[in-house]
Amino acid sequence: MYPKLFDTFSAPLASVKPSRRSLVLGALASGLVLSVGFRWQSSAQAQEAAKPHPFNPYISIAADGKITIYSSQFEMGQGAYFGIATLVNEELDADWAQINVVGGFGDVAAFGNLAWGGAAQGTGGSTSMTSSWERYRTAGAALRMMLAEAASKAWGVPVSEVSTARGIVSHPSGKTATYAELVTAASALLVPATVPLKPRTAWTQIGKAGLKRYDSRMKTDGSAQFTIDVKLPGMATAVIIHPPKFGATVASFDASKAKDVKGFVDAVQISRGVAVVAENMWSALKARDLVSVAWIEDKAEQRNSADILVAYETQSKAAPLAVARNDGDAAGALAAAGKVLEASFSFPYLAHAALEPLNAVASMTDGTLEIWGGHQMPDLYQYIGSQIAGTTPDKVKLHVMKTGGGFGRRAVFDADVVAEAVETAKALAWSRPVKVQWTRENDMRGGRYRPAYVHAMKAGLDKDGKIIAWSNHIVGQSIMSGTLFEGMAVKNGVDFTSVEGAANVPYDIPNVAVGLSTMQAGVPVLWWRAVGSTHTAYAVETFLDEVAEAAGKDPVALRLELLDKHPRHMAALKLAAEKAGWDKPAAEGRFRGVAVAESFGSVVAQIAEISIPSPGQIKVERVVCAVDCGTAINPDQVAAQMEGGIGFGLSSILGEEITLTAGAVDQGNYDSYTPLRIEQMPKVEVHIVPSEGPPTGAGEPGVPPAGPALANAVYQATRKRIRTLPFSKGFTA
């Protein structure tokens, strides 16, 4: 997903606030990003290094034997750190008890996301293992070779007689040394010109089930540090008052009453509202409630979300404004079809709703700006932070913190909460560190949502029940339009994130038309876990079940007929069907549905099994999942991501939606925005399709098939098609 994403940045900046426009453009346009690294060098200097030294920037070994791996990828619960550590240790032969992983930054040559073209560092699109696959294995292997060479020189023995295991170098003579004892000598050696990697047959870490995550204990005992845990001497806490309507700006504010709150420090205007600063969170919240703000709302979004969707539905009945795919003659085939099916699907705005609300800490000491946070796009945040502070990127040090969930929310074009923290600290004249901590309500109402969409679907069957035409008109907001990425992400009016999963349907249908109408709305939108496939897979896979019924065919059998040119899809679907016992009747009171979807380079097939315990209720009993994600670096982690993705997908389909009344978001917390509760989580079985291909995505691909598999099972139980989401709005038994 998102290949070559950062190759060029020349698009219009319509959606970026004027105050941020020059900052973002300066950060990204034409390769002008400068980054700070462990060697405090610019990315241009880093690019000159033909072979990054494994000791710098990828791995360090301390005198006590502790090994630190510097990750190019951001850890937000998806297991990126563990996966990278596995790649390194497969080749390094270290002791897992010695290993820790921290976030790296500031060296584009070493940390640039290779799946995006390598020109900038960032985490997203389920590319972490794809980007890291060769890079970190090579770093581990090179370091092991250098340690072995250092030992051979010290002992006067051939390097071929030296072996490594569990962080110790040994020789048949009985000589041994720890990695820590050899690291000084090893670091002075040249990096090997050729670094062979272990063959698959020799792997002891990669692909092995049961490998315990190195960070499980620290997450269990609370020693793992997240941004919300950061405490610095003299640190103040700020909470933000954002506009109640998107697009509104501050006219004036009055904080005089807040001065009576013990611990109140100050209230300052920032680019997206008012920051209320106090000695602690509780005082900041109390003071915030006493600050009155007058807003300018003449350019704000004023519509109800229902009105926005009505406008989309109206447009869906007209001709598409752009063409995403046009194979054959879909219109002609529909006109000549013996049977035509039509359906319209409506999808709401969705919040990311991660467990840890957005936050960041900023502090200026001796001319160096330090920023703690969920730095999903480090180069960009480093540059924007430097420009707000009036300094240069080499004077900005990032602390890349683990994050309690992201789902796309922490990768934003204007640095969002990071910029708020720097702005607030600057407004206080850098007198003390400042943590900006959003509340749950800030997070729900502060903007950046999965766009709302409408799909208008048509399919034509010939007299023999064969699908001869397929049409899909997608209507909604573009994530990329009006941003720095528009120039390469929007082609001929088509934002690929709006149509992915629809424009590339794998089914062998002779006449396919996929159109897109991009609409304007004042609601800020952003990628959301699995991005476009969160709505396209639902529309495609549930509508295909309708077609299967009209053709008198079994849903799995029809899909297999249409997937002859896509062996990965076919293999995943066959495996899921086999493990779910699709060829046998479901148990009494149980009903099954199927869906298969490709996203982020991976193919996932799922079969959902449900019951209807009482009218109007749905209980998801079981989901059988088959995934082809190339080489599964950590099979248990792949399974965990599929389980989490299924829960995430079911959650959004069953009960999540963001609604607006007169432009203001109605939901504020988990009582009104309702993710899946633990008792609603079904039993999940994950089966990984064997593969010798390079790793592809695992963090997101489990999401798209979950909803349509459930909807197709619900139809088998109730004979009702659910086309308005979430189910809580569109389902009555």
Side-chain angles (χ1 to χ4, degrees):
M1 174 84 183
Y2 312 148
K4 306 293 184 183
L5 188 60
F6 291 93
D7 275 3
T8 181
F9 302 93
S10 57
L13 302 173
S15 75
V16 182
K17 291 181 179 292
S19 61
R20 299 271 178 85
R21 221 172 263 179
S22 61
L23 309 188
V24 181
L25 181 60
L28 295 175
S30 305
L32 294 179
V33 176
L34 296 180
S35 302
V36 182
F38 301 104
R39 289 174 287 185
W40 294 84
Q41 64 176 13
S42 72
S43 63
Q45 291 170 322
Q47 292 283 4
E48 294 175 1
K51 289 189 177 106
H53 201 290
F55 285 110
N56 189 353
Y58 295 125
I59 309 166
S60 68
I61 301 177
D64 63 358
K66 295 297 184 183
I67 297 172
T68 301
I69 298 168
Y70 297 97
S71 172
S72 64
Q73 303 305 114
F74 173 54
E75 175 60 73
M76 47 191 151
Q78 81 279 37
Y81 281 6
F82 180 44
I84 285 173
T86 302
L87 296 177
V88 169
N89 205 27
E90 180 63 73
E91 300 290 344
L92 183 56
D93 292 339
D95 188 334
W96 272 104
Q98 299 172 317
I99 289 175
N100 190 31
V101 184
V102 300
F105 76 98
D107 189 336
V108 175
F111 296 138
N113 189 316
L114 300 179
W116 294 352
Q121 184 181 357
T123 304
S126 296
T127 58
S128 289
M129 294 304 102
T130 301
S131 179
S132 305
W133 176 235
E134 297 283 350
R135 168 186 284 165
Y136 279 94
R137 285 191 296 153
T138 301
L143 183 49
R144 176 181 48 78
M145 292 173 67
M146 294 164 73
L147 290 164
E149 183 181 352
S152 74
K153 290 181 180 296
W155 300 335
V157 299
V159 71
S160 60
E161 296 178 2
V162 174
S163 61
T164 56
R166 296 182 64 83
I168 296 174
V169 183
S170 59
H171 184 262
S173 65
K175 296 181 183 293
T176 64
T178 66
Y179 284 2
E181 291 169 335
L182 294 167
V183 68
T184 300
S187 63
L189 299 173
L190 293 176
V191 178
T194 302
V195 182
L197 302 177
K198 292 181 182 179
R200 286 176 178 263
T201 53
W203 286 350
T204 61
Q205 311 288 318
I206 297 173
K208 304 305 178 183
L211 187 64
K212 185 182 295 185
R213 284 185 60 154
Y214 80 95
D215 58 352
S216 295
R217 179 178 295 276
M218 63 181 74
K219 287 188 174 183
T220 303
D221 64 18
S223 60
Q225 292 294 292
F226 297 79
T227 308
I228 201 168
D229 300 315
V230 172
K231 296 179 181 178
L232 302 174
M235 186 181 76
T237 298
V239 295
I240 309 299
I241 304 174
H242 289 128
K245 297 182 180 181
F246 302 117
T249 57
V250 175
S252 63
F253 71 95
D254 182 358
S256 57
K257 294 181 180 179
K259 295 177 181 178
D260 295 331
V261 175
K262 183 179 179 181
F264 172 75
V265 173
D266 203 352
V268 296
Q269 184 172 339
I270 59 175
S271 60
R272 289 175 51 199
V274 176
V276 182
V277 189
E279 298 290 347
N280 53 68
M281 185 71 176
W282 179 244
S283 296
L285 290 171
K286 290 201 296 182
R288 176 204 61 186
D289 294 341
L290 296 174
V291 176
S292 60
V293 184
W295 303 98
I296 301 171
E297 296 185 345
D298 56 332
K299 295 182 180 180
E301 177 61 71
Q302 303 284 356
R303 290 176 291 176
N304 298 335
S305 51
D307 298 330
I308 294 173
L309 283 168
V310 166
Y312 291 3
E313 289 164 2
T314 300
Q315 176 60 34
S316 74
K317 298 170 184 174
L321 301 178
V323 176
R325 179 174 174 180
N326 189 19
D327 295 352
D329 179 8
L334 284 167
K339 181 182 292 187
V340 175
L341 286 78
E342 297 187 41
S344 178
F345 297 86
S346 178
F347 300 87
Y349 289 105
L350 294 174
H352 300 77
L355 185 62
E356 182 185 10
L358 292 185
N359 42 31
V361 179
S363 177
M364 180 76 80
T365 305
D366 297 329
T368 295
L369 173 63
E370 295 186 69
I371 308 173
W372 291 255
H375 300 309
Q376 197 166 350
M377 299 173 71
D379 301 330
L380 176 59
Y381 299 169
Q382 186 181 31
Y383 189 91
I384 291 177
S386 75
Q387 295 302 286
I388 293 171
T391 186
T392 53
D394 62 316
K395 297 296 185 182
V396 179
K397 180 180 181 181
L398 300 182
H399 298 267
V400 184
M401 305 298 293
K402 299 181 183 70
T403 295
F407 316 120
R409 183 60 184 86
R410 288 174 164 85
V412 289
F413 304 118
D414 66 355
D416 205 18
V417 70
V418 171
E420 291 183 349
V422 179
E423 287 177 337
T424 305
K426 181 181 180 180
L428 298 179
W430 311 111
S431 59
R432 59 200 301 175
V434 175
K435 177 193 288 185
V436 168
Q437 178 63 61
W438 283 24
T439 64
R440 175 65 56 204
E441 287 74 16
N442 283 142
D443 232 18
M444 290 287 181
R445 295 171 177 155
R448 305 314 204 294
Y449 305 98
R450 197 286 303 270
Y453 284 96
V454 167
H455 285 243
M457 311 282 294
K458 293 181 183 179
L461 307 177
D462 65 12
K463 59 182 177 61
D464 298 319
K466 180 182 177 181
I467 308 175
I468 58 172
W470 181 273
S471 173
N472 186 354
H473 181 187
I474 302 168
V475 182
Q477 277 175 266
S478 165
I479 293 171
M480 297 295 197
S481 293
T483 74
L484 291 166
F485 303 140
E486 181 175 10
M488 61 77 178
V490 181
K491 301 297 184 183
N492 300 316
V494 176
D495 179 343
F496 75 93
T497 69
S498 297
V499 301
E500 60 183 351
N504 60 327
V505 287
Y507 300 115
D508 189 8
I509 301 170
N511 304 288
V512 177
V514 179
L516 174 67
S517 292
T518 295
M519 307 294 282
Q520 300 301 314
V523 183
V525 294
L526 188 67
W527 27 60
W528 185 94
R529 190 177 185 180
V531 200
S533 292
T534 61
H535 55 96
T536 58
Y538 187 95
V540 167
E541 290 296 298
T542 55
F543 191 54
L544 188 61
D545 257 39
E546 296 189 41
V547 173
E549 182 180 52
K553 295 185 177 181
D554 174 83
V556 169
L558 175 63
R559 285 171 171 81
L560 291 174
E561 287 178 19
L562 300 175
L563 289 172
D564 189 54
K565 298 176 183 177
H566 293 272
R568 291 181 72 202
H569 294 70
M570 184 177 290
L573 181 56
K574 284 182 175 179
L575 181 58
E578 174 195 341
K579 297 299 183 181
W582 185 268
D583 59 341
K584 302 178 182 64
E588 182 70 24
R590 300 287 185 94
F591 307 89
R592 294 186 297 223
V594 63
V596 59
E598 178 184 359
S599 58
F600 312 99
S602 296
V603 178
V604 179
Q606 292 174 13
I607 293 175
E609 185 172 300
I610 71 162
S611 64
I612 306 293
S614 62
Q617 285 191 319
I618 301 168
K619 181 172 176 54
V620 188
E621 303 281 358
R622 176 189 183 213
V623 176
V624 177
C625 172
V627 53
D628 181 345
C629 58
T631 297
I633 295 170
N634 301 122
D636 292 347
Q637 190 63 27
V638 170
Q641 285 301 292
M642 291 301 113
E643 292 164 359
I646 288 166
F648 198 87
L650 293 177
S651 184
S652 65
I653 295 297
L654 284 170
E656 293 183 15
E657 65 174 335
I658 288 291
T659 59
L660 280 69
T661 299
V665 172
D666 298 316
Q667 292 74 25
N669 213 313
Y670 290 140
D671 55 343
S672 51
Y673 190 86
T674 53
L676 203 71
R677 273 35 180 179
I678 190 65
E679 68 271 11
Q680 295 175 284
M681 186 66 190
K683 176 183 178 183
V684 176
E685 301 171 22
V686 178
H687 304 277
I688 300 173
V689 179
S691 174
E692 293 192 357
T696 51
E700 296 168 90
V703 176
L710 170 59
N712 291 333
V714 169
Y715 177 75
Q716 296 301 319
T718 66
R719 315 313 289 176
K720 294 179 183 293
R721 300 286 184 189
I722 303 176
R723 297 173 179 154
T724 299
L725 298 178
F727 281 23
S728 57
K729 176 180 287 186
F731 173 74
T732 55

